[in-house]
Amino acid sequence: MNASLAFELSPHDFLVKTDISPIQVSPNTFKGFIANQVDLLMALETPVVIWAKLPRGESWQGEIDRCIALAGGPRSLFLFRNTLEETSDEQTAVQEVLNPLVVDSYRSHATPQDRLVTLHLAGDMLLRREFFFIVWSSQFCNGVCAQRSRLKRGSELSEVENEVAEPPIEPTEKRNQLSLVHTLDPSRIQQLLLRLESLVRSSSFEVTDHLSPEAPYTLSQIVDQWHSYGIQQPLPTSSPQLINQLLGKHLHRQEELWQRSNTYRKQAEIVEVLQIQNEELINTVRAKDEFISNVGQELRTPLTNMKTALTLLNSPNIKPPQRQRYMDLLVKECDRQSSLIGSLLDLVSLDQMAERQTLQPITLSDVVPGVVSTYQPLAEEKGVRLAYTIPEGLPAIACLNPWLRQIVVSLLHNGIKFTPRGGQVWVRAKQQGDYIQLEFKDTGVGIPVQEIPKIFDRFYRVRQIAMDDPGGAGLGLTIVQQLLLRCGGSISVKSRPNDGSIFNVLLPTYQYRDAEKASE
């Protein structure tokens, strides 16, 4: 065969030229296909010759070890290796070492016909992107060739032979796809081996003879010996049973790979869920730590003020007006402390309250008028007009009576507190689909736009400076929001400084069961 012709086509391209259509496979599938053939050879226990150029990596080294350990009489293995690994930046020498224990075991059972040889390829371009696994025996012949795709690096093409191990089956694996051709035709495999022989004779190879390191065979002797294995003898015939067995092994392995991939995917999903739960727990612990820290600071402030007032009251030179001022301060700080403790207890009790299925049908007209009448004296004392509008026939809401009462109390109290004399506070209700909207509107000092997202945070207080008021515990709106969340409602705010505020509360209507409707 003409040497120049051998260099024109690589083993992969040669088989493609013989009208064998290539298929695109993943490195995982390619490895499984080779492993199936090794399984079959181990089961046959027949003399065999293998020519192999496989990717680097521990998983592939395991397949080479299995090939070396094949039983069944004379067998030979010719391994092709690249001496250099070329990357886009440099060339790095790669040292390929066979497992010494496996080689020693092979050597102890080897016959004079056996060969275990590594052919080191220095720089041949045709084989640098090629992988192949060619089997020749009296019962079974098989040829598999695969070729890596060219990878673009900037404006240049880089041909890289990296490790093709067993990456996970992911969309990113598409960039590592291999073009694979496969034949069981002994005549084509014979032509492929003759072409490989011509290529070896015409290229620069270094030989490592693992069985005769002291007196190694030359490259020419090794290639000449290939003919003694029957390559030029009458062609063997692969039985349909062996082909079916190979196909069965391949399908079985692919099913195992699919099951393994499915297991890994489920495990990854579980890990992701656990990570999310762990982050939620960490955030919860961090929030509780911050809450406790804030509680400590909030409790300390009124206690410090009360202690200061008590110290000043003990002064022998204190005047009656000063004494009264300090007494008023004590009363105010005691009220503040009491409000804070009461609000904290309310927050704690929320976690122990009944869930949504215990909600009851509550009519707004049974709660809102009573709360408004309770706050009417306070509004009149401040010179604030207080009114409400609850239309008749509104459907009942799903809530608990104490929850609804606390929501109305907190929002009315805030409205009156931050509305100056001559202002107005009123409550309006109307239906919106499956919800009842309860609007609390005032003409008070309003809230700066940048402060609105923070007003539901625990211990956050606003507007007290403008009103010259020390404010409450900073938990009222937090409790309102939590109560609404527990009954499926929500709250929103519209406000501008000196233009009042509108708190819109949405409460779900109570959905009666069919039996309850029938009994009405």
Side-chain angles (χ1 to χ4, degrees):
M1 183 176 293
N2 192 309
S4 62
L5 184 60
F7 273 87
E8 291 178 1
L9 296 173
S10 68
H12 168 276
D13 294 338
F14 169 75
L15 288 181
V16 173
K17 199 73 173 179
T18 60
D19 297 329
I20 298 179
S21 299
I23 59 174
Q24 298 297 313
V25 300
S26 68
N28 211 350
T29 300
F30 176 53
K31 185 179 182 302
F33 194 61
I34 299 301
N36 295 337
Q37 296 191 50
V38 178
D39 290 342
L40 180 60
L41 294 175
M42 296 183 76
L44 290 177
E45 296 187 354
T46 183
V48 65
V49 186
I50 299 174
W51 293 261
K53 183 175 183 290
L54 299 176
R56 290 181 292 274
E58 292 183 4
S59 59
W60 284 101
Q61 187 62 45
E63 297 303 326
I64 293 174
D65 291 344
R66 292 208 301 153
C67 291
I68 297 174
L70 289 174
R75 73 270 190 211
S76 295
L77 178 62
F78 299 94
L79 295 174
F80 290 73
R81 293 300 202 197
N82 273 16
T83 304
L84 296 177
E85 175 188 352
E86 183 177 326
T87 66
S88 59
D89 301 324
E90 59 183 358
Q91 289 185 339
T92 306
V94 178
Q95 184 179 8
E96 299 287 353
V97 180
L98 297 182
N99 189 327
L101 296 178
V102 177
V103 173
D104 290 343
S105 176
Y106 180 92
R107 188 181 293 118
S108 64
H109 297 88
T111 68
Q113 292 80 24
D114 292 345
R115 294 265 72 82
L116 180 56
V117 174
T118 299
L119 292 89
H120 302 279
L121 174 62
D124 182 79
M125 298 296 293
L126 287 177
L127 290 183
R128 189 152 62 91
R129 292 187 300 114
E130 295 278 317
F131 305 117
F132 52 82
F133 191 80
I134 305 171
V135 177
W136 186 275
S137 73
S138 59
Q139 299 184 43
F140 178 71
C141 289
N142 194 12
V144 181
C145 296
Q147 188 179 87
R148 286 184 59 86
S149 60
R150 297 175 183 269
L151 302 179
K152 279 192 174 184
R153 301 282 181 87
S155 59
E156 299 179 356
L157 286 175
S158 175
E159 301 171 357
V160 184
E161 182 191 3
N162 291 324
E163 176 181 340
V164 185
E166 293 183 82
I169 302 178
E170 298 289 345
T172 54
E173 193 183 60
K174 292 181 179 179
R175 62 180 180 175
N176 295 323
Q177 292 281 299
L178 300 171
S179 174
L180 184 143
V181 286
H182 171 237
T183 180
L184 294 168
D185 184 353
S187 62
R188 287 185 176 178
I189 296 174
Q190 185 182 56
Q191 295 175 21
L192 179 62
L193 288 170
L194 292 174
R195 180 162 291 247
L196 186 62
E197 171 191 337
S198 178
L199 188 149
V200 170
R201 290 185 186 277
S202 306
S203 301
S204 176
F205 281 87
E206 293 183 4
V207 177
T208 299
D209 190 337
H210 299 279
L211 297 185
S212 304
E214 297 82 7
Y217 274 53
T218 65
L219 180 64
S220 180
Q221 289 174 319
I222 290 173
V223 176
D224 289 340
Q225 194 179 18
W226 289 1
H227 298 284
S228 66
Y229 296 113
I231 294 175
Q232 293 183 338
Q233 302 299 321
L235 301 179
T237 302
S238 298
S239 66
Q241 291 81 2
L242 290 177
I243 296 175
N244 290 335
Q245 190 175 352
L246 177 62
L247 179 60
K249 286 182 176 295
H250 181 67
L251 292 175
H252 179 70
R253 185 176 294 271
Q254 288 301 112
E255 178 65 20
E256 287 182 344
L257 289 175
W258 183 86
Q259 293 288 353
R260 191 183 309 167
S261 173
N262 192 42
T263 300
Y264 290 161
R265 184 169 56 252
K266 289 181 179 179
Q267 290 175 344
E269 292 174 354
I270 293 175
V271 168
E272 184 178 0
V273 171
L274 291 176
Q275 287 176 341
I276 293 174
Q277 292 176 346
N278 184 55
E279 291 177 1
E280 291 177 348
L281 288 174
I282 292 175
N283 291 334
T284 300
V285 171
R286 186 181 295 115
K288 285 188 176 294
D289 290 343
E290 183 179 354
F291 177 69
I292 292 174
S293 176
N294 290 337
V295 168
Q297 294 176 8
E298 292 294 328
L299 289 173
R300 184 184 296 115
T301 300
L303 287 175
T304 301
N305 293 337
M306 285 188 283
K307 185 176 181 180
T308 301
L310 288 172
T311 302
L312 294 173
L313 283 172
N314 289 328
S315 174
N317 300 323
I318 189 171
K319 296 179 180 180
Q322 292 176 320
R323 180 182 297 275
Q324 185 61 44
R325 187 164 60 250
Y326 296 146
M327 292 297 295
D328 292 342
L329 177 62
L330 281 172
V331 172
K332 185 177 295 185
E333 293 300 330
C334 284
D335 291 342
R336 181 179 176 186
Q337 187 87 326
S338 176
S339 174
L340 176 61
I341 293 173
S343 297
L344 288 173
L345 292 176
D346 289 340
L347 272 180
V348 172
S349 66
L350 281 178
D351 295 330
Q352 303 171 353
M353 287 184 178
E355 297 185 357
R356 184 164 185 167
Q357 60 265 26
T358 64
L359 299 180
Q360 303 168 356
I362 306 295
T363 303
L364 289 180
S365 59
D366 292 339
V367 176
V368 175
V371 176
V372 172
S373 63
T374 301
Y375 275 87
Q376 195 71 50
L378 176 62
E380 291 177 357
E381 181 182 347
K382 286 197 64 177
V384 174
R385 180 187 175 192
L386 179 60
Y388 70 91
T389 302
I390 305 295
E392 295 183 359
L394 285 179
I397 62 168
C399 194
L400 293 178
N401 193 290
W403 292 7
L404 178 60
R405 185 174 298 276
Q406 188 165 1
I407 291 169
V408 176
V409 165
S410 295
L411 295 177
L412 271 183
H413 177 80
N414 280 352
I416 296 172
K417 179 179 180 179
F418 296 110
T419 299
R421 182 172 296 277
Q424 298 179 14
V425 176
W426 60 91
V427 184
R428 294 190 181 97
K430 64 179 180 179
Q431 185 171 2
Q432 286 191 354
D434 293 333
Y435 290 86
I436 299 297
Q437 176 184 311
L438 199 56
E439 180 186 88
F440 296 81
K441 185 174 182 180
D442 65 63
T443 59
V445 297
I447 306 171
V449 176
Q450 66 273 17
E451 303 288 334
I452 291 178
K454 306 174 186 178
I455 62 175
F456 296 103
D457 294 346
R458 293 174 177 179
F459 303 112
Y460 190 83
R461 291 187 292 270
V462 71
R463 299 186 291 181
Q464 63 265 31
I465 297 178
M467 295 299 298
D468 192 24
D469 190 297
L475 293 172
L477 290 178
T478 302
I479 295 174
V480 168
Q481 185 184 55
Q482 292 300 315
L483 289 172
L484 287 169
L485 287 175
R486 280 163 172 75
C487 65
S490 63
I491 184 170
S492 61
V493 185
K494 294 180 181 180
S495 184
R496 294 173 62 181
N498 303 316
D499 198 24
S501 302
I502 301 176
F503 285 79
N504 281 314
V505 171
L506 286 180
L507 291 159
T509 57
Y510 189 85
Q511 303 296 323
Y512 290 91
R513 297 180 180 177
D514 294 339
E516 293 175 329
K517 291 181 179 180
S519 63
E520 291 179 352

